[in-house]
Amino acid sequence: MMQVEGFFMALTNSNTDGRVVVHRQGTLSESSVKFLLLNPAVHFAQVLKECRAVIIAGGTMQPMDETGRILSNICNVVPGGVVCFFPSYEYSRRIISHWEASGALTRLANKKKIFQEPKKANQVEQVLSEFSRCIQRCAADGGGLTGALLFSVVGGKMSEGINFSDDLGRCVVMVGMPYPNIKSPELQEKMSYLDKHLPHSGGRSPGQALIENLCMKAVNQSIGRAIRHRGDYSSMVLCDRRYSRPATLAKLPKWIQDRTSTHSTFGPAFAALRKFFLEKKQKQM
């Protein structure tokens, strides 16, 4: 319904600036109806009128390039399987498309075979089976590939109820913080209710606390896919400076909190990661 509402809202734009594009495919589910605004200056004009100065900063690509290098370095030192969670399907699509264009995806594929969360639920078992077989082959062959890399989405088909034990999940990477859609009518109603009936705490409204709790619940469900038994081990890399906030760290499980170190740059974090897996390798020898 939010998509329908958004489409109707878009239709309130000037008829001379907007177009309705109907894309017909073989089936109704594959077809689409979109509103295309040909002149975005209509919206931006109001901003220019009300502001004395406007700063336009485009930094979308930079975090993607940093993120790509981080994941590449992780794949260099982590054996077996690496599972990377993105906060949404849209961000996953954008960042992987950028890596394809920049060559970062090819560099990642030189170290680990790349798998992606399937679009259909009935394909999950097949992807997991191929992911597992690839890791087993790489461990036995000892060739150029050191394992496999799986791209998934928080709250998706592989963030809950899936077991990435042992070599299937030697590292779980969480890119960003998966906050829920604050524009959801259901969530807005819950926030409004809590704000009316519960007291504020620590400068935060109960509604804000709900948003943070839902975010960290999703994080904990995702990183909980690894370390599934007593003898298991894995590393968890939380890529967002907001995870360093004490209130946010406090929402991680206690046994993870006690083993968490915060680094403002990747150099020291990478050194700690390398040391962790070298020590595990030496114990196995």
Side-chain angles (χ1 to χ4, degrees):
M1 288 304 296
M2 289 182 66
Q3 292 177 331
V4 175
E5 179 188 356
F7 179 73
F8 284 147
M9 286 295 293
L11 293 180
T12 62
N13 289 284
S14 172
N15 289 334
T16 58
D17 296 321
R19 299 288 187 276
V20 175
V21 180
V22 180
H23 189 58
R24 294 181 179 177
Q25 294 293 321
T27 61
L28 183 63
S29 61
E30 295 175 329
S31 303
S32 65
V33 179
K34 296 181 180 179
F35 178 82
L36 180 64
L37 184 62
L38 301 177
N39 182 18
V42 174
H43 287 300
F44 199 64
Q46 191 65 29
V47 177
L48 293 176
K49 287 179 182 178
E50 297 179 0
C51 297
R52 293 185 177 181
V54 178
I55 300 174
I56 301 176
T60 308
M61 295 304 163
Q62 187 62 21
M64 293 186 181
D65 292 329
E66 288 171 349
T67 305
R69 288 195 294 270
I70 288 172
L71 203 55
S72 179
N73 285 327
I74 288 173
C75 289
N76 282 336
V77 298
V78 175
V82 175
V83 184
C84 180
F85 285 100
F86 296 109
S88 69
Y89 284 102
E90 174 60 19
Y91 187 77
S92 171
R93 183 191 64 78
R94 286 172 54 201
I95 198 169
I96 292 174
S97 295
H98 176 71
W99 287 346
E100 285 179 339
S102 67
L105 203 65
T106 301
R107 290 191 293 272
L108 288 171
N110 288 333
K111 277 295 178 182
K112 295 190 183 292
K113 185 173 181 180
I114 296 175
F115 294 84
Q116 292 189 41
E117 179 179 309
K119 295 180 180 180
K120 297 181 180 179
N122 59 7
Q123 297 174 334
V124 170
E125 286 298 326
Q126 179 184 349
V127 172
L128 287 175
S129 178
E130 292 176 1
F131 178 73
S132 176
R133 286 199 299 268
C134 175
I135 291 171
Q136 292 171 355
R137 282 198 308 270
C138 291
D141 298 344
L145 290 178
T146 61
L149 169 62
L150 174 63
F151 292 133
S152 190
V153 175
V154 176
K157 304 173 186 67
M158 295 182 172
S159 63
E160 190 175 356
I162 301 295
N163 187 346
F164 292 111
S165 62
D166 300 315
D167 277 349
L168 296 187
R170 288 306 185 199
C171 183
V172 177
V173 182
M174 180 67 60
V175 178
M177 298 190 73
Y179 283 105
N181 180 13
I182 199 171
K183 294 184 179 180
S184 162
E186 179 183 349
L187 188 54
Q188 286 185 340
E189 284 297 318
K190 288 182 179 180
M191 293 174 65
S192 177
Y193 179 84
L194 293 174
D195 288 342
K196 287 180 181 178
H197 294 86
L198 294 179
H200 286 50
S201 176
R204 294 179 306 159
S205 70
Q208 290 173 324
L210 172 66
I211 294 294
E212 294 178 7
N213 289 337
L214 289 173
C215 171
M216 291 309 295
K217 178 184 178 182
V219 170
N220 288 328
Q221 285 178 334
S222 297
I223 64 177
R225 300 307 93 217
I227 310 183
R228 307 294 288 181
H229 58 84
R230 184 183 178 187
D232 202 0
Y233 65 90
S234 178
S235 56
M236 299 168 187
V237 181
L238 307 177
C239 290
D240 196 304
R241 68 176 59 192
R242 291 173 292 180
Y243 284 114
S244 64
R245 298 180 302 200
T248 302
L249 284 173
K251 289 183 171 62
L252 291 171
K254 187 67 169 60
W255 65 274
I256 294 181
Q257 287 182 49
D258 295 341
R259 295 164 174 82
T260 298
S261 58
T262 302
H263 303 279
S264 58
T265 59
F266 188 70
F270 181 69
L273 194 67
R274 184 202 295 272
K275 181 182 178 184
F276 174 77
F277 283 103
L278 281 175
E279 289 175 349
K280 294 297 181 183
K281 185 176 181 179
Q282 290 172 354
K283 287 181 180 179
Q284 294 172 349
M285 294 175 65

